[in-house]
Amino acid sequence: EGGYLGMHVDATTHGMNLNWKREYSAVLCISEEYDSSFDLLLHDGKNKHARIPYKFNRLNVFKCSENSWHGIPEITKGLDRKTLGVMYWSKMTEEDKKNTRTKAKFNFDLEFK
């Protein structure tokens, strides 16, 4: 199997509505074909991790946080992984505003066995 493209945590702040905080991400798998390179990789930033097999019509939902690292393997050449993503946002509290990030944060050093 190939490598992976790096794990990331999503931006916490909406790019245009700077008082919106991302709470949840939902990703619907819409490719009818399957390849292991389409699987969703999850990591807690420490030592717990999981691989969720890609499956047509599966909805993957997760709470966004500083430890909700996720990513996908490098897609097999010639294949297309199709998904539909929806994000749930809430209005930021004063506490939330202290820890905002408008871009995703990447980590290429997390072990995934």
Side-chain angles (χ1 to χ4, degrees):
E1 264 185 312
Y4 64 94
L5 300 177
M7 304 294 276
H8 70 277
V9 289
D10 295 321
T12 57
T13 307
H14 190 278
M16 294 178 67
N17 296 301
L18 299 179
N19 65 337
W20 288 8
K21 173 185 165 189
R22 186 182 301 201
E23 297 281 356
Y24 290 91
S25 290
V27 180
L28 179 64
C29 304
I30 57 176
S31 296
E32 293 190 32
E33 64 182 330
Y34 170 76
D35 186 80
S36 63
S37 70
F38 295 175
D39 295 351
L40 175 62
L41 308 177
L42 301 172
H43 204 294
D44 72 353
K46 296 177 184 169
N47 56 11
K48 291 184 181 176
H49 53 81
R51 182 182 197 115
I52 300 174
Y54 185 97
K55 184 177 180 183
F56 173 70
N57 214 27
R58 174 174 281 162
L59 180 64
N60 297 306
V61 180
F62 56 91
K63 174 100 171 109
C64 298
S65 75
E66 283 298 312
N67 295 315
S68 61
W69 296 95
H70 58 282
I72 59 172
E74 186 173 353
I75 301 293
T76 301
K77 190 173 182 176
L79 295 181
D80 291 313
R81 177 185 184 267
K82 297 175 185 141
T83 60
L84 176 63
V86 178
M87 288 77 194
Y88 172 78
W89 303 89
S90 68
K91 202 167 193 175
M92 277 195 214
T93 65
E94 289 304 313
E95 185 66 27
D96 292 333
K97 291 177 184 178
K98 296 176 185 175
N99 300 307
T100 62
R101 185 179 58 255
T102 55
K103 294 187 179 189
K105 181 168 64 173
F106 285 82
N107 188 333
F108 296 92
D109 296 325
L110 294 173
E111 288 190 31
F112 203 94
K113 299 175 188 176

